[in-house]
Amino acid sequence: MRGFLGRATLAAVLLLTPLAPTPVAAVTPAAAVTGVTPVAGVPPVAGAAAVTPAATVPRQPGAESAEPSGVAADWTPPLSTRGRWIVDAKGNRFKLRSGNWHGASGTWNGSGDTEDDANHHAGENSGRVPLGLDRAPMAEIISGFQEIGINSIRLPFSNEMIHDDRPVTDRAVAANPSLRGKTPLQVYDAVVRGLTDAGLAVILNNHTNTTRWCCGVDGNERWNAGQSTGAWENDWLFMARRYRDDKRVVGADLYNEVRRNVWDDPNWGLGDDHDWFAASQHVADRILMEADPDLLIIVEGINWTGIPVDGFAHGRPTLEPVRRLSHTLVDSGKLVYSAHFYDYTGPNHSGATGLGETSDPRYRDLSPAELTDVVNRQALYVAAEQDQHFTAPVWISEFGVGGREETGAAPRAWFENFVDLLVRADADFAYWPLVGWHEDRKGNGWALLHWDSAGHRMGVYDGDDWRAGAWSRLVQAQGRTGPVAPVANWSMLSPDHGDFVASRRMRALPDWNPGARKAVCPDGQRLLGVSHTGNRGLCTDVSTGPLANPAGVHEVVTDERHVAPGQDWASGYTKLQCAEGQFLTGYSVRGSAVSAALCTAAPAGALGTSGRTVWFDRGDNRGVSPQGGDFAYGRYKGQCANDEYLAGIAYTGRVGSSGTPDALYCRKLS
């Protein structure tokens, strides 16, 4: 067959093809070092003393360290979300102007002596710690971040790093002698403390399973590529608990660039061992419930699926699947989605050259209008479309380009256009990478700040880096600031393959319908919509805010006990109806059939009694301009109005019917 590759050939292609690798850049000559010009309004920090690691990781609850001179933190942790915005504890917008400080997750390319720099990405051997600690005191590196306008750091780690008890080499921390003899995790602790003491926010990023360079067919393609899902979850609980007393550790970035290995693709919602949606949903709830309820949970889209050969299905799904299946966490206001974009990759291009390269356009081949359309479709729509089940902040947590020696017109134009796109969207971002090496102003030019072996710094604002203007536009862009008003929450329930209980309260109670798959709204929300088939539901707190009675009284309804005589709202159908003063917050299913309704008591006087029947067994019936979005794509759906609550579900057990929901009983809120 034309275009067919046998297994051996396919394996060779995939093993030799980097799937969206973090970039290798050209080396760079330039003029003399003149220092870094500070961004307007962000004064430089004096001093560059070595940072001494804390004796213990946790900070006492409520304790805050003194801020460095001239760098007053203008935000109050913890962070949460309101619609598409990230906000601080006072409700003020906190825009993630971030950078990636890589190295702790590894720079080794996977072959050869790990001590030989030549076997590390771009010749930069991090020594299993954040790059640059061999060349500059930690305080100097951190002050450099602040000088170029950074307020937050994505800090990669590997699962191997957590368990690595080998002390780092003296060489790896030569400019920070107090870190000698420490394990990689202890150095990571010190870096976290140094960053947060300086007022910066830290996002923990599980970058790889093993401590090596990412991201090809390298054994790190999935969260469970080289370990069990259970081990991965336990590592996350360990890390979240380790830093939970440091409130400037604000986020858990669950896994980096989930992608295909030689034989298998990841997926979004199939319920198997490669289901990234299910895995991220599960570990997110565990982190919030068992480790640290204050953390933002950051879920990156799928980076690559398919075979990168013309004629075979392949592409970069990123966040497109979120439109049809979005996360609902046990705590509303904690979910952030993320995506990565580089000029040499594309919506259907792996970024490879030579073997594995396809004829698909790269992002740099697109016009500004085409680039905007593609990035919106792949990622930014999640933040742009309000009042949807998927609405959330989107963090572009990796993007970057070569610096001084990047002479290509296409990469340069792409970077300028992409920065302008981020500015127009007022998007949260994280540049890759912040720190690099140079010798005689030559080296891996992608970083914004470089240090040579003598400790001399070369920065983006030295006057010879073409990226300086675009970077200034980005970090100084006039976006939304100040208070963000609370918004209505819209949440999808998807008990597709098992329980989908998003209520902390119900999780703490015994199983209310053993043997059935249960779906429950987050605490404070009410069920407003249900699909005819597919078992999906829609929750919200629109028009009311939190509605449940603080006492948390609930009832499981499996029959028509609360249908009053003469008030048959679905004649001939079985009706699961809540009692007066109760509203639906969940349901259970057996197979495709509805089996029970979960009814929760409302405060006295909150619920009205007049109602109407909404039929949806033969078509959608969601009203005019319904909010919440399509929560069951391709299925018939019923939905109450925003000023109503759901009081009952009707179905039929007639021959030929599968017992799926056919009608809703919608009543007015009081």
Side-chain angles (χ1 to χ4, degrees), residues 218-480:
D218 54 8
N220 293 305
E221 299 87 356
R222 296 188 315 276
W223 64 98
N224 57 1
Q227 61 189 353
S228 70
T229 295
W232 174 67
E233 290 188 355
N234 289 337
D235 281 351
W236 257 123
L237 296 180
F238 170 83
M239 292 294 279
R241 289 168 181 153
R242 190 173 184 84
Y243 304 109
R244 65 185 166 193
D245 291 333
D246 188 341
K247 294 306 176 185
R248 295 197 193 280
V249 177
V250 299
D253 185 352
L254 298 181
Y255 202 72
N256 182 73
E257 296 192 6
V258 174
R259 58 197 182 276
R260 182 186 176 93
N261 63 10
V262 173
W263 303 118
D264 299 297
D265 282 327
N267 67 79
W268 193 274
L270 294 185
D272 60 15
D273 194 44
H274 295 179
D275 184 347
W276 174 229
F277 169 81
S280 54
Q281 173 79 39
H282 192 262
V283 76
D285 284 340
R286 289 198 68 191
I287 290 169
L288 292 172
M289 294 188 68
E290 301 176 39
D292 188 351
D294 288 334
L295 289 176
L296 292 176
I297 301 297
I298 299 159
V299 181
E300 187 178 336
I302 293 177
N303 190 63
W304 184 263
T305 60
I307 303 169
V309 176
D310 286 336
F312 285 78
H314 57 265
R316 190 180 304 283
T318 53
L319 296 176
E320 292 184 68
V322 175
R323 183 178 292 280
R324 298 187 182 183
L325 180 59
S326 63
H327 294 73
T328 295
L329 306 184
V330 292
D331 294 322
S332 300
K334 286 299 179 182
L335 174 66
V336 175
Y337 284 112
S338 72
H340 295 175
F341 292 95
Y342 290 103
D343 73 283
Y344 56 87
T345 59
N348 293 288
H349 202 299
S350 71
T353 57
L355 185 63
E357 183 172 8
T358 65
S359 59
D360 304 290
R362 303 173 190 261
Y363 291 115
R364 68 187 178 214
D365 298 325
L366 305 178
S367 70
E370 291 170 333
L371 180 64
T372 298
D373 288 345
V374 166
V375 173
N376 285 341
R377 169 172 57 82
Q378 293 196 299
L380 294 181
Y381 79 90
V382 173
E385 298 182 28
Q386 298 300 291
D387 295 314
Q388 309 291 303
H389 63 81
F390 54 75
T391 303
V394 173
W395 185 37
I396 306 302
S397 55
E398 282 189 28
F399 76 104
V401 74
R404 289 161 175 81
E405 277 202 347
E406 177 54 81
T407 59
R412 286 191 172 206
W414 170 84
F415 187 71
E416 298 280 357
N417 292 332
F418 192 74
V419 163
D420 289 343
L421 188 163
L422 294 178
V423 170
R424 289 194 303 271
D426 197 5
D428 300 85
F429 61 86
Y431 185 88
W432 182 284
L434 287 176
V435 176
W437 287 2
H438 83 94
E439 291 300 331
D440 296 325
R441 302 181 66 78
K442 298 178 181 179
N444 181 9
W446 282 72
L448 297 178
L449 300 170
H450 297 81
W451 278 265
D452 68 13
S453 56
H456 300 133
R457 187 174 69 180
M458 176 178 71
V460 68
Y461 287 128
D462 282 355
D464 59 345
D465 192 322
W466 65 271
R467 300 169 298 175
W471 182 251
S472 292
R473 292 201 308 277
L474 183 59
V475 295
Q476 298 177 12
Q478 297 300 306
R480 176 163 185 169

Side-chain angles (χ1 to χ4, degrees), residues 521 525-528 539-542 544 583-584 642 644 669:
C521 296
Q525 296 187 36
R526 66 188 189 276
L527 191 65
L528 200 67
C539 304
T540 189
D541 57 7
V542 69
T544 65
F583 61 99
L584 269 161
N642 287 1
E644 295 177 327
L669 295 164

Side-chain angles (χ1 to χ4, degrees), residues 94-119:
F94 183 85
K95 182 174 183 176
L96 293 176
R97 299 193 310 269
S98 318
N100 287 269
W101 190 3
H102 76 295
S105 60
T107 52
W108 181 54
N109 285 325
S111 63
D113 183 359
T114 58
E115 298 304 315
D116 187 345
D117 294 351
N119 297 323

Side-chain angles (χ1 to χ4, degrees), residues 82 84-85 91 93-95 426 477-485:
R82 291 181 177 177
R84 62 88 77 219
W85 308 105
R93 196 268 174 103
F94 183 85
K95 182 174 183 176
D426 197 5
Q478 297 300 306
R480 176 163 185 169
T481 59
V484 176

